Amino acid sequence: MRVSVIVPAYNGHEKLDLTLAGLADQSYPAHLIEVIVVDNGSEPPLRLPEIRHPNTRLIVCATPGRANARNAGLRAATGDVIHWLDSDVVLDRVAIEAHMRWHHLAPYLSVTSYLRFTTVELPVPADVIAIDDRAKLFEPTEPHAWIVKLVDSTDKLRSSDHGAFRLHVGGSTSVNARLIKAAGPMDEGLILGQDTEMGYRLFEAGAVFIPEPRSIGYHLGPTMRMREGTSISRVSQAFIVDRVPHYRWLRTHPNRQWDVPYVEVEIDATDASYEDVRASVDGILGSTVPDVSVVLLGPWEELDREPERRSPLKDPRLDLMLIRGHYAYDSRVQIGGRSGRAPYVLRLPAGWVPGEDTLAELLHLMVERPLGLLSVLLSGLLEGGVMARLERTAAFARARMMAREGEDLDAIVGDVFGSMQVFRETFEFLPTAEAKRPVERRTAYRARGEVSNPSNAEAQRLIKENELLKSKVAEWRDESKRWRSTAVEFRREIGSLKKQVNALKRARGIGRLTRRLHGLLREPQPPRQ
């Protein structure tokens, strides 16, 4: 397999020369490597140094921006694998070989090197070629803490689920060219965060992300994110939130619409009635998942012909015209095209209406398991019955790359990601005739309030009674204060009375003694002998 190493560069001749020296003697066969240096408007223009890989060429991209430069290199690349490499990263001698060992195993891989950051005095290109152990030139170094944390906290990405795409960093990452073709090139509309956004699209195209510890890249100095992390996050998140639905913590607004929705619902209107399609679409748009869009399939090109104006009610295309006319100005509904940009796709037969919380419950089950396919039997038997299907986009994209001709994609998804079948009674799906029409948002809010409080009059009575009890409590508190004051006065009076009683008791005792003495004096004395 051939690999194209794309190195976008803007000025920085000294570091670029070291980067190219690191590519000059890679252990991977030289005839299978091409190096494309993209000059992104350097002043003075870049030139290729003497020490470089023999298959190195220089092209120019006058439009500023790293995404523009990388896409220019991508258009010029001929390899089976595309290896992004920053112009201030020096690869270890076996780095590309370590990447390519993985790419020989499967066509859906994205492999990332372990970067180490150095601030030592820069060597000369000849030293990079001459020394066997390049670590001796650049140590001491610091690891890429963010990548190490991501890998270690997810059991080497085994438990990261959809978060693995964050490993796609442009410093030194290789991707199968077939995978890039499926996902599309770098987004030139982004100021920052292009690596993350492309990582998301690669993930949805079926990529598996591999951290490769045997591939080491020495980053010459700190990255821009290390120097200005807070400012970079502020700028990139403002744009990334529209394009990466998995960043749920950035999508907290209850009514916002985003460029890439979290879930797309695909409904085939080809032979369906206007009423059935409208019931299904309105049920989806009225659900508790606002981050949703609807794609209506059908022969819409037939409506481009002149409509029957003299007898419009007899036009066989009438239902299609009504459907398109009804949703033509709803930004959440796409007339024609295909789904596939969102992480999840619900394929819903027209005429079946999900409950208000049905979509949220289905998504929760898909994420918690996690599953690649969740099928809901709407009517009939499991074999050949009418089904609603919630599909994980990444699962089916990878299955298509893995499948042999004629092989069943559902079976592959079930083996790799897992699948599950449930009945519509488990999740609320009703046919059009039984479903309730959506109501205006404020009315729905009031209705939910009435459901949570079955007797509104009783609730009001209890509120008033509660207020009355509060006023009674206040009265009782005042009364208790008066009683406490009275009790103090009583205690004082009791104390005074006790003193008086004691005094009386003492006076009464003296009287008794005096009377006793007087009695003794009055008694006759016995005669003396």
Side-chain angles (χ1 to χ4, degrees), residues 125-319:
D127 293 339
V128 174
I129 293 294
I131 196 166
D132 291 330
D133 185 5
R134 289 177 182 168
K136 295 179 179 178
L137 289 176
F138 301 109
E139 293 291 351
T141 62
E142 294 291 333
H144 196 312
W146 184 84
I147 287 183
V148 171
K149 180 180 178 181
L150 173 64
V151 173
D152 290 349
S153 64
T154 57
D155 188 24
K156 293 182 170 48
L157 301 187
R158 293 185 183 93
S159 62
S160 63
D161 193 23
H162 57 259
F165 68 86
R166 295 176 293 166
L167 189 70
H168 181 264
V169 295
S172 179
T173 292
S174 62
V175 185
N176 190 287
R178 179 182 169 188
L179 195 58
I180 292 180
K181 183 177 180 180
M186 284 271 178
D187 189 338
E188 297 176 0
L190 286 172
I191 300 174
L192 294 169
Q194 300 97 329
D195 293 338
T196 301
E197 190 276 336
M198 186 171 191
Y200 163 74
R201 284 187 284 114
L202 290 171
F203 177 78
E204 296 304 329
V208 173
F209 295 84
I210 307 291
E212 177 46 79
R214 291 172 297 179
S215 178
I216 303 297
Y218 298 98
H219 197 288
L220 308 179
T223 64
M224 185 169 66
R225 178 171 285 278
M226 290 178 173
R227 296 192 303 268
E228 304 177 65
T230 302
S231 298
I232 288 176
S233 294
R234 177 175 178 264
V235 172
S236 62
Q237 288 180 5
F239 292 91
I240 285 294
V241 64
D242 240 341
R243 295 163 168 84
V244 182
H246 289 306
Y247 285 167
R248 307 305 299 157
W249 64 92
L250 295 177
R251 294 188 173 189
T252 56
H253 195 284
N255 297 314
R256 270 291 309 272
Q257 298 298 307
W258 311 97
D259 182 31
V260 181
Y262 189 55
V263 58
E264 291 175 297
V265 180
E266 194 175 87
I267 299 173
D268 192 346
T270 302
D271 297 315
S273 69
Y274 162 69
E275 288 76 15
D276 279 349
V277 172
R278 180 178 176 181
S280 298
V281 174
D282 289 355
I284 289 294
L285 298 183
S287 75
T288 56
V289 179
D291 196 357
V292 63
S293 68
V294 177
V295 179
L296 294 177
L297 308 181
W300 304 110
E301 66 281 356
E302 294 183 8
L303 300 185
D304 295 334
R305 302 197 310 269
E306 183 67 20
E308 177 57 60
R309 297 190 182 277
R310 294 189 181 279
S311 302
L313 299 181
K314 296 180 180 180
D315 193 320
R317 302 167 297 171
L318 179 60
D319 282 274

Side-chain angles (χ1 to χ4, degrees), residues 478-491:
D478 293 339
E479 186 70 19
S480 68
K481 289 180 181 178
R482 289 194 294 271
W483 277 107
R484 283 196 296 271
S485 177
T486 303
V488 170
E489 293 177 1
F490 284 163
R491 282 196 294 270

